[in-house]
């Protein structure tokens, strides 16, 4: 078995870091993980059909819904002052 030098190992690690599959896995780990939420199946069906109707991804639709909800919530808090 050949003896590998530390320099060779570092070059190998650099090559791995540059590959797209490694980068993809590494970037997934950086994302914030949320707990899985459960909801009624009929709501999921409506949500999916609305996403298809608007030709949006489900992520985009959820971001729009949450943004609208929290904007409305903030606006109602300001009106109470």
């Amino acid at each position: 078995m050949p003896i590998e030098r530390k320099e060779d190992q570092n070059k190998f690690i650099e090559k791995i870091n540059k590959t797209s599959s490694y980068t993809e896995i590494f970037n997934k780990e950086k994302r914030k993980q949320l707990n899985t939420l459960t909801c009624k199946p009929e709501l999921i069906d409506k949500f999916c059909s609305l996403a298809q109707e608007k030709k949006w991804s489900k992520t985009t639709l959820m971001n729009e819904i949450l943004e609208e909800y929290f904007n409305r919530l903030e606006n109602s808090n300001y009106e109470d002052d």
Side-chain angles (χ1 to χ4, degrees):
M1 191 160 142
I3 300 173
E4 292 185 6
R5 295 181 302 195
K6 185 73 171 171
E7 297 163 358
D8 293 338
Q9 289 176 348
N10 289 340
K11 287 180 184 176
F12 182 73
I13 290 171
E14 285 177 26
K15 287 181 183 178
I16 289 175
N17 288 342
K18 291 180 183 177
T19 60
S20 61
S21 59
Y22 179 83
T23 305
E24 184 178 317
I25 292 169
F26 183 72
N27 287 337
K28 281 184 181 178
E29 290 175 357
K30 284 185 171 180
R31 293 181 184 168
K32 184 176 180 181
Q33 296 293 321
L34 299 175
N35 294 334
T36 304
L37 303 173
T38 57
C39 58
K40 299 175 185 174
E42 55 272 4
L43 290 176
I44 294 172
D45 292 338
K46 288 178 183 180
F47 179 81
C48 292
S49 59
L50 182 61
Q52 265 185 337
E53 180 184 310
K54 293 191 175 213
K55 297 181 181 174
W56 287 351
S57 70
K58 294 172 188 165
T59 304
T60 303
L61 179 59
M62 182 55 71
N63 286 335
E64 290 290 321
I65 291 170
L66 290 173
E67 191 175 304
E68 182 181 318
Y69 174 79
F70 286 109
N71 285 341
R72 212 179 309 143
L73 207 80
E74 286 176 5
N75 289 338
S76 68
N77 286 343
Y78 289 127
E79 290 173 3
D80 292 339
D81 291 339

